[in-house]
Amino acid sequence: MTPEAYYRQILETTSNGILVISRACEILEINRNAMAMFNIDDVRAIGKPIADVLPDGPREALIRIVEETFDEGFALNEEIAYWEETGIEIELGISGSLIVSDTGQPLATVICRDMTAKRELERLRKMDQLKSDYVNKVAHELRNPLTTIQAYSETAASMIEGEPKEFLGTVEDECNRMLSLIKEMLNISRLESGKLKLTLSEVDFGALVVQCVEQVRSHSDQHTLSLDSPAQLPKAKIDEDKIKEVVLNLLENAVKYSPEGGEIRVVVTAQDQMLSIAVSDCGIGIESEHLRHLFEKFYRVDSPGTRGIPGTGLGLAITKGIVDAHAGSIQVDSEVGQGTTFTVELPAVPATTQAPSNREP
Ligand code: ADP
């Protein structure tokens, strides 16, 4: 390959538009990207003045940048925007620098970067942030009145008997359902904004698991929950409330996705300063193609088995966020029609505890 062909390849494969312009403002070199950016489809543009070749939109700015390059030796990045004939808005970042030709003449090299994608990304990020802020705000506003309704229904139900008591029980159950949805919304927005802070303390992990198992057992009489845990476990430095949320979420999913009932086995082990909890069910199972997506937010398996089972697809995303924040790991193993096992491993004393623990705002 000749050196010329080699350099032409480099020029043509860069994602920027590049032009080399003479002192007389004529185009000496133009790569394909620059031709596409300025809608020039004729290679005979080479040798012509830029004023004749460029479309109206960017013409003035480009001439100014070329002149500045010859006058100052360079032109700093300038962002320009113009409307193409097709009605599309183009945004370019243009800069210039001087080079010297083989005959010793100064030439201006003009580099054009397409900023449209970057702007679009910024806009989407901003919209996403606005959406998260809005969700966060609404969730906060809904939480207080719902907590009041729930507390009053509970009190009123304790004062009466018969059918009205049942009605109030339903009101309370529905409030609880909405409150747990709101909790999920707040959790996910904290995770997204990086505000999930851990409040670490020395926790008896075994007792925490027993509490969670008891809680789930009390409202799922179709399932048999068994717990296998060593008598002696090292104390764990974890965020008690958040790890409780992790264990409860795995247990509640095991119940939810075993609609026929059956055994749910919880096995706790401790080895080399690592604590592990495995929750196994004999439920509907998960097809292998879904496994790697389960921890993405809003991901739900859509299958005949899951239809009719309520959920938001946020639980496992939050669970993973909490486990990651503890420098732990979560794994899933499943067979359709046989059941699923989720295993969480946590360092008994995570590396993060070396820094002082942060309280949640
Ligand atoms: P949700 O249960 O609210 O839909 P999750 O994030 O907790 O959300 O779970 C995501 C998806 O993973 C669920 O929709 C379900 O399809 C699947 N899944 C989770 N746990 C189990 C389980 N124990 N057995 C079968 N499928 C499960």
Side-chain angles (χ1 to χ4, degrees):
M1 187 187 290
T2 62
E4 197 186 331
Y6 175 71
Y7 288 114
R8 164 110 340 244
Q9 270 194 37
I10 296 176
L11 198 67
E12 293 302 349
T13 48
T14 165
S15 59
N16 294 329
I18 298 177
L19 299 107
V20 179
I21 315 281
S22 70
R23 192 71 182 93
C25 264
E26 290 157 350
I27 298 176
L28 302 181
E29 278 285 357
I30 181 164
N31 73 350
R32 248 175 279 159
N33 265 325
M35 290 176 80
M37 280 172 185
F38 298 122
N39 231 349
I40 301 169
D41 51 12
D42 188 351
V43 276
R44 282 170 299 178
I46 290 185
K48 293 205 174 130
I50 44 173
D52 294 354
V53 173
L54 290 178
D56 293 347
R59 186 186 297 129
E60 214 178 287
L62 229 92
I63 292 174
R64 192 178 61 248
I65 288 166
V66 168
E67 282 172 356
E68 192 181 326
T69 305
F70 280 115
D71 292 348
E72 308 289 337
F74 63 90
L76 289 177
N77 190 52
E78 182 178 329
E79 290 189 11
I80 66 161
Y82 57 92
W83 294 91
E84 259 197 340
E85 271 171 25
T86 49
I88 296 173
E89 191 184 19
I90 305 286
E91 298 190 9
L92 298 177
I94 306 182
S95 57
S97 53
L98 271 191
I99 55 170
V100 181
S101 75
D102 48 5
T103 58
Q105 297 299 311
L107 304 172
T109 307
V110 176
I111 315 271
C112 311
R113 299 169 195 85
D114 189 346
M115 312 289 285
T116 320
K118 189 179 150 219
R119 276 286 161 88
E120 184 59 10
L121 205 68
E122 272 169 18
R123 195 180 66 81
L124 288 175
R125 268 206 201 111
K126 215 167 170 177
M127 269 176 55
D128 205 40
Q129 183 59 42
L130 280 175
K131 198 185 68 198
S132 296
D133 291 350
Y134 178 72
V135 168
N136 196 18
K137 224 176 157 131
V138 171
H140 267 114
E141 292 296 324
L142 285 173
R143 193 169 53 174
N144 292 345
L146 267 174
T147 312
T148 312
I149 298 172
Q150 183 224 32
Y152 275 104
S153 337
E154 197 181 343
T155 314
S158 69
M159 294 156 72
I160 50 175
E161 284 305 327
E163 219 176 18
K165 189 183 179 87
E166 271 174 39
F167 293 164
L168 284 173
T170 310
V171 173
E172 203 190 324
D173 287 350
E174 293 302 312
C175 279
N176 281 335
R177 232 157 61 87
M178 282 196 268
L179 281 169
S180 68
L181 277 175
I182 286 170
K183 195 169 167 198
E184 273 191 345
M185 280 157 77
L186 287 171
N187 268 337
I188 203 80
S189 89
R190 264 185 212 130
L191 265 182
E192 280 188 333
S193 60
K195 283 192 197 141
L196 186 95
K197 299 269 160 54
L198 300 182
T199 306
L200 300 176
S201 63
E202 298 256 324
V203 176
D204 181 342
F205 185 65
L208 179 150
V209 176
V210 170
Q211 265 182 39
C212 296
V213 169
E214 289 304 328
Q215 186 175 326
V216 174
R217 196 180 268 148
S218 68
H219 64 76
S220 50
D221 36 2
Q222 259 190 305
H223 301 84
T224 320
L225 273 85
S226 71
L227 172 60
D228 178 357
S229 177
Q232 289 293 320
L233 277 176
K235 285 254 177 186
K237 198 139 193 196
I238 51 179
D239 183 316
E240 186 167 8
D241 288 344
K242 295 208 169 61
I243 292 298
K244 224 182 235 177
E245 223 172 288
V246 166
V247 177
L248 280 175
N249 187 37
L250 296 183
L251 288 171
E252 275 158 9
N253 273 355
V255 168
K256 210 161 68 163
Y257 296 104
S258 313
E260 309 276 299
E263 194 187 353
I264 293 168
R265 254 169 71 79
V266 181
V267 179
V268 176
T269 52
Q271 207 181 9
D272 302 333
Q273 290 299 302
M274 288 301 279
L275 293 166
S276 130
I277 174 169
V279 177
S280 308
D281 61 58
C282 311
I284 58 173
I286 306 162
E287 280 179 39
S288 57
E289 72 207 66
H290 298 291
L291 294 179
R292 67 199 166 94
H293 298 293
L294 287 189
F295 303 102
E296 293 167 13
K297 58 181 178 167
F298 301 115
Y299 193 85
R300 304 203 71 214
V301 176
D302 183 14
S303 69
T306 56
R307 257 162 241 156
I309 301 181
T312 56
L314 288 177
L316 285 177
I318 293 168
T319 298
K320 183 164 179 351
I322 296 174
V323 171
D324 286 349
H326 281 83
S329 65
I330 182 163
Q331 278 175 9
V332 54
D333 196 12
S334 187
E335 216 167 301
V336 176
Q338 301 293 309
T340 304
T341 299
F342 281 93
T343 309
V344 169
E345 279 203 327
L346 294 169
V349 181
T352 48
T353 61
Q354 280 152 17
S357 68
N358 290 315
R359 293 224 150 244
E360 206 164 280

mmCIF file of all heavy atoms in Angstrom, residues 249 253-254 256-257 281 284-286 294 299-301 306 311-317 340 342, ligand 1:
data_model
loop_
_atom_site.group_PDB
_atom_site.id
_atom_site.type_symbol
_atom_site.label_atom_id
_atom_site.label_comp_id
_atom_site.label_asym_id
_atom_site.label_seq_id
_atom_site.Cartn_x
_atom_site.Cartn_y
_atom_site.Cartn_z
ATOM 1 N N ASN A 249 -38.050 -10.310 49.948
ATOM 2 C CA ASN A 249 -38.390 -10.285 48.530
ATOM 3 C C ASN A 249 -38.200 -11.668 47.901
ATOM 4 O O ASN A 249 -39.066 -12.143 47.151
ATOM 5 C CB ASN A 249 -37.545 -9.237 47.803
ATOM 6 C CG ASN A 249 -38.003 -9.075 46.377
ATOM 7 O OD1 ASN A 249 -39.189 -9.145 46.094
ATOM 8 N ND2 ASN A 249 -37.060 -8.902 45.466
ATOM 9 N N ASN A 253 -41.299 -13.838 46.533
ATOM 10 C CA ASN A 253 -41.311 -14.314 45.142
ATOM 11 C C ASN A 253 -41.481 -15.828 45.097
ATOM 12 O O ASN A 253 -42.211 -16.353 44.252
ATOM 13 C CB ASN A 253 -40.002 -13.938 44.431
ATOM 14 C CG ASN A 253 -40.070 -12.550 43.815
ATOM 15 O OD1 ASN A 253 -41.120 -11.915 43.838
ATOM 16 N ND2 ASN A 253 -38.962 -12.073 43.275
ATOM 17 N N ALA A 254 -40.797 -16.531 46.014
ATOM 18 C CA ALA A 254 -40.903 -18.001 46.037
ATOM 19 C C ALA A 254 -42.368 -18.407 46.260
ATOM 20 O O ALA A 254 -42.870 -19.322 45.605
ATOM 21 C CB ALA A 254 -40.012 -18.571 47.132
ATOM 22 N N LYS A 256 -45.056 -16.406 45.635
ATOM 23 C CA LYS A 256 -45.862 -15.891 44.528
ATOM 24 C C LYS A 256 -45.745 -16.774 43.279
ATOM 25 O O LYS A 256 -46.730 -17.020 42.600
ATOM 26 C CB LYS A 256 -45.345 -14.479 44.209
ATOM 27 C CG LYS A 256 -46.358 -13.543 43.677
ATOM 28 C CD LYS A 256 -45.921 -12.092 43.826
ATOM 29 C CE LYS A 256 -44.756 -11.680 42.973
ATOM 30 N NZ LYS A 256 -44.603 -10.231 42.826
ATOM 31 N N TYR A 257 -44.529 -17.230 43.013
ATOM 32 C CA TYR A 257 -44.329 -17.995 41.776
ATOM 33 C C TYR A 257 -44.418 -19.507 42.008
ATOM 34 O O TYR A 257 -43.921 -20.291 41.206
ATOM 35 C CB TYR A 257 -43.014 -17.566 41.100
ATOM 36 C CG TYR A 257 -43.105 -16.114 40.671
ATOM 37 C CD1 TYR A 257 -42.473 -15.105 41.384
ATOM 38 C CD2 TYR A 257 -43.893 -15.754 39.586
ATOM 39 C CE1 TYR A 257 -42.606 -13.771 41.028
ATOM 40 C CE2 TYR A 257 -44.038 -14.418 39.211
ATOM 41 C CZ TYR A 257 -43.392 -13.440 39.943
ATOM 42 O OH TYR A 257 -43.542 -12.126 39.574
ATOM 43 N N ASP A 281 -37.647 -22.861 45.657
ATOM 44 C CA ASP A 281 -39.075 -23.213 45.623
ATOM 45 C C ASP A 281 -39.306 -24.323 44.614
ATOM 46 O O ASP A 281 -38.396 -24.681 43.853
ATOM 47 C CB ASP A 281 -39.914 -21.961 45.282
ATOM 48 C CG ASP A 281 -39.594 -21.378 43.933
ATOM 49 O OD1 ASP A 281 -39.715 -22.101 42.927
ATOM 50 O OD2 ASP A 281 -39.204 -20.185 43.858
ATOM 51 N N ILE A 284 -43.084 -22.481 39.389
ATOM 52 C CA ILE A 284 -43.217 -22.547 37.921
ATOM 53 C C ILE A 284 -41.873 -22.549 37.192
ATOM 54 O O ILE A 284 -41.791 -22.961 36.055
ATOM 55 C CB ILE A 284 -44.080 -21.372 37.389
ATOM 56 C CG1 ILE A 284 -43.457 -20.016 37.786
ATOM 57 C CG2 ILE A 284 -45.503 -21.458 37.887
ATOM 58 C CD1 ILE A 284 -44.147 -18.826 37.150
ATOM 59 N N GLY A 285 -40.796 -22.064 37.866
ATOM 60 C CA GLY A 285 -39.486 -22.015 37.221
ATOM 61 C C GLY A 285 -39.394 -20.901 36.184
ATOM 62 O O GLY A 285 -40.384 -20.213 35.903
ATOM 63 N N ILE A 286 -38.192 -20.735 35.645
ATOM 64 C CA ILE A 286 -37.956 -19.633 34.699
ATOM 65 C C ILE A 286 -37.165 -20.186 33.510
ATOM 66 O O ILE A 286 -36.159 -20.881 33.709
ATOM 67 C CB ILE A 286 -37.113 -18.509 35.365
ATOM 68 C CG1 ILE A 286 -37.774 -18.054 36.670
ATOM 69 C CG2 ILE A 286 -36.899 -17.334 34.424
ATOM 70 C CD1 ILE A 286 -36.843 -17.287 37.590
ATOM 71 N N LEU A 294 -33.366 -10.979 34.570
ATOM 72 C CA LEU A 294 -34.246 -10.892 35.750
ATOM 73 C C LEU A 294 -33.963 -9.705 36.647
ATOM 74 O O LEU A 294 -34.849 -9.187 37.301
ATOM 75 C CB LEU A 294 -34.102 -12.162 36.606
ATOM 76 C CG LEU A 294 -34.730 -13.429 36.065
ATOM 77 C CD1 LEU A 294 -34.681 -14.499 37.133
ATOM 78 C CD2 LEU A 294 -36.163 -13.212 35.623
ATOM 79 N N TYR A 299 -38.305 -5.744 34.480
ATOM 80 C CA TYR A 299 -38.334 -6.988 33.690
ATOM 81 C C TYR A 299 -39.242 -8.016 34.355
ATOM 82 O O TYR A 299 -39.068 -8.354 35.519
ATOM 83 C CB TYR A 299 -36.924 -7.562 33.525
ATOM 84 C CG TYR A 299 -36.888 -8.658 32.468
ATOM 85 C CD1 TYR A 299 -36.731 -8.334 31.136
ATOM 86 C CD2 TYR A 299 -37.070 -9.995 32.807
ATOM 87 C CE1 TYR A 299 -36.733 -9.321 30.156
ATOM 88 C CE2 TYR A 299 -37.074 -10.987 31.845
ATOM 89 C CZ TYR A 299 -36.903 -10.641 30.516
ATOM 90 O OH TYR A 299 -36.915 -11.623 29.554
ATOM 91 N N ARG A 300 -40.227 -8.499 33.610
ATOM 92 C CA ARG A 300 -41.100 -9.560 34.087
ATOM 93 C C ARG A 300 -41.177 -10.633 33.018
ATOM 94 O O ARG A 300 -41.188 -10.322 31.828
ATOM 95 C CB ARG A 300 -42.518 -9.030 34.346
ATOM 96 C CG ARG A 300 -42.588 -7.866 35.310
ATOM 97 C CD ARG A 300 -43.956 -7.767 35.946
ATOM 98 N NE ARG A 300 -44.163 -8.850 36.886
ATOM 99 C CZ ARG A 300 -45.331 -9.442 37.109
ATOM 100 N NH1 ARG A 300 -46.394 -9.059 36.440
ATOM 101 N NH2 ARG A 300 -45.450 -10.423 37.979
ATOM 102 N N VAL A 301 -41.194 -11.880 33.438
ATOM 103 C CA VAL A 301 -41.321 -12.961 32.463
ATOM 104 C C VAL A 301 -42.784 -13.019 32.035
ATOM 105 O O VAL A 301 -43.670 -13.024 32.885
ATOM 106 C CB VAL A 301 -40.896 -14.311 33.088
ATOM 107 C CG1 VAL A 301 -41.112 -15.452 32.108
ATOM 108 C CG2 VAL A 301 -39.457 -14.239 33.559
ATOM 109 N N THR A 306 -46.941 -17.041 34.427
ATOM 110 C CA THR A 306 -46.833 -15.810 35.219
ATOM 111 C C THR A 306 -48.050 -14.906 35.042
ATOM 112 O O THR A 306 -48.230 -13.969 35.816
ATOM 113 C CB THR A 306 -45.577 -14.995 34.820
ATOM 114 O OG1 THR A 306 -45.644 -14.744 33.421
ATOM 115 C CG2 THR A 306 -44.303 -15.704 35.171
ATOM 116 N N GLY A 311 -47.259 -7.925 39.930
ATOM 117 C CA GLY A 311 -45.871 -7.531 40.221
ATOM 118 C C GLY A 311 -45.472 -6.361 39.358
ATOM 119 O O GLY A 311 -46.183 -6.008 38.410
ATOM 120 N N THR A 312 -44.347 -5.748 39.684
ATOM 121 C CA THR A 312 -43.884 -4.579 38.933
ATOM 122 C C THR A 312 -42.586 -4.848 38.192
ATOM 123 O O THR A 312 -42.162 -4.055 37.357
ATOM 124 C CB THR A 312 -43.594 -3.413 39.900
ATOM 125 O OG1 THR A 312 -42.647 -3.884 40.867
ATOM 126 C CG2 THR A 312 -44.837 -2.920 40.594
ATOM 127 N N GLY A 313 -41.912 -5.927 38.522
ATOM 128 C CA GLY A 313 -40.613 -6.200 37.910
ATOM 129 C C GLY A 313 -39.509 -5.363 38.535
ATOM 130 O O GLY A 313 -38.421 -5.238 37.963
ATOM 131 N N LEU A 314 -39.784 -4.799 39.709
ATOM 132 C CA LEU A 314 -38.760 -3.955 40.357
ATOM 133 C C LEU A 314 -38.034 -4.685 41.497
ATOM 134 O O LEU A 314 -36.904 -4.357 41.841
ATOM 135 C CB LEU A 314 -39.404 -2.690 40.929
ATOM 136 C CG LEU A 314 -39.851 -1.652 39.920
ATOM 137 C CD1 LEU A 314 -40.546 -0.493 40.608
ATOM 138 C CD2 LEU A 314 -38.666 -1.135 39.121
ATOM 139 N N GLY A 315 -38.726 -5.696 42.067
ATOM 140 C CA GLY A 315 -38.204 -6.339 43.278
ATOM 141 C C GLY A 315 -36.779 -6.852 43.136
ATOM 142 O O GLY A 315 -35.917 -6.554 43.979
ATOM 143 N N LEU A 316 -36.494 -7.592 42.064
ATOM 144 C CA LEU A 316 -35.155 -8.180 41.934
ATOM 145 C C LEU A 316 -34.104 -7.114 41.590
ATOM 146 O O LEU A 316 -32.940 -7.255 41.959
ATOM 147 C CB LEU A 316 -35.154 -9.291 40.882
ATOM 148 C CG LEU A 316 -35.818 -10.601 41.330
ATOM 149 C CD1 LEU A 316 -35.830 -11.623 40.202
ATOM 150 C CD2 LEU A 316 -35.103 -11.202 42.544
ATOM 151 N N ALA A 317 -34.532 -6.057 40.872
ATOM 152 C CA ALA A 317 -33.581 -4.966 40.577
ATOM 153 C C ALA A 317 -33.150 -4.304 41.884
ATOM 154 O O ALA A 317 -31.972 -4.011 42.104
ATOM 155 C CB ALA A 317 -34.219 -3.948 39.640
ATOM 156 N N THR A 340 -37.113 -22.912 41.403
ATOM 157 C CA THR A 340 -36.065 -21.895 41.271
ATOM 158 C C THR A 340 -35.305 -21.757 42.586
ATOM 159 O O THR A 340 -35.899 -21.876 43.651
ATOM 160 C CB THR A 340 -36.723 -20.535 40.930
ATOM 161 O OG1 THR A 340 -37.518 -20.711 39.753
ATOM 162 C CG2 THR A 340 -35.705 -19.444 40.687
ATOM 163 N N PHE A 342 -32.700 -18.938 44.346
ATOM 164 C CA PHE A 342 -31.918 -17.699 44.354
ATOM 165 C C PHE A 342 -30.911 -17.803 45.495
ATOM 166 O O PHE A 342 -31.286 -18.185 46.618
ATOM 167 C CB PHE A 342 -32.824 -16.489 44.591
ATOM 168 C CG PHE A 342 -33.558 -16.050 43.361
ATOM 169 C CD1 PHE A 342 -34.835 -16.510 43.082
ATOM 170 C CD2 PHE A 342 -32.962 -15.160 42.462
ATOM 171 C CE1 PHE A 342 -35.514 -16.106 41.941
ATOM 172 C CE2 PHE A 342 -33.637 -14.748 41.313
ATOM 173 C CZ PHE A 342 -34.909 -15.218 41.056
HETATM 174 P P1 ADP B 1 -42.154 -8.960 40.194
HETATM 175 O O1 ADP B 1 -42.271 -10.201 41.015
HETATM 176 O O2 ADP B 1 -42.737 -7.759 40.864
HETATM 177 O O3 ADP B 1 -42.632 -9.135 38.795
HETATM 178 P P2 ADP B 1 -39.261 -9.197 40.464
HETATM 179 O O4 ADP B 1 -38.224 -8.212 40.053
HETATM 180 O O5 ADP B 1 -39.283 -9.619 41.891
HETATM 181 O O6 ADP B 1 -40.627 -8.555 40.022
HETATM 182 O O7 ADP B 1 -39.080 -10.473 39.565
HETATM 183 C C1 ADP B 1 -38.896 -10.335 38.169
HETATM 184 C C2 ADP B 1 -39.453 -11.542 37.434
HETATM 185 O O8 ADP B 1 -38.660 -12.692 37.763
HETATM 186 C C3 ADP B 1 -40.853 -11.911 37.845
HETATM 187 O O9 ADP B 1 -41.799 -11.172 37.104
HETATM 188 C C4 ADP B 1 -40.891 -13.402 37.543
HETATM 189 O O10 ADP B 1 -41.221 -13.590 36.196
HETATM 190 C C5 ADP B 1 -39.468 -13.856 37.782
HETATM 191 N N1 ADP B 1 -39.298 -14.499 39.107
HETATM 192 C C6 ADP B 1 -38.796 -13.923 40.223
HETATM 193 N N2 ADP B 1 -38.736 -14.830 41.226
HETATM 194 C C7 ADP B 1 -39.209 -15.994 40.721
HETATM 195 C C8 ADP B 1 -39.381 -17.312 41.262
HETATM 196 N N3 ADP B 1 -39.072 -17.625 42.529
HETATM 197 N N4 ADP B 1 -39.881 -18.253 40.432
HETATM 198 C C9 ADP B 1 -40.200 -17.978 39.155
HETATM 199 N N5 ADP B 1 -40.060 -16.744 38.601
HETATM 200 C C10 ADP B 1 -39.562 -15.781 39.368
#
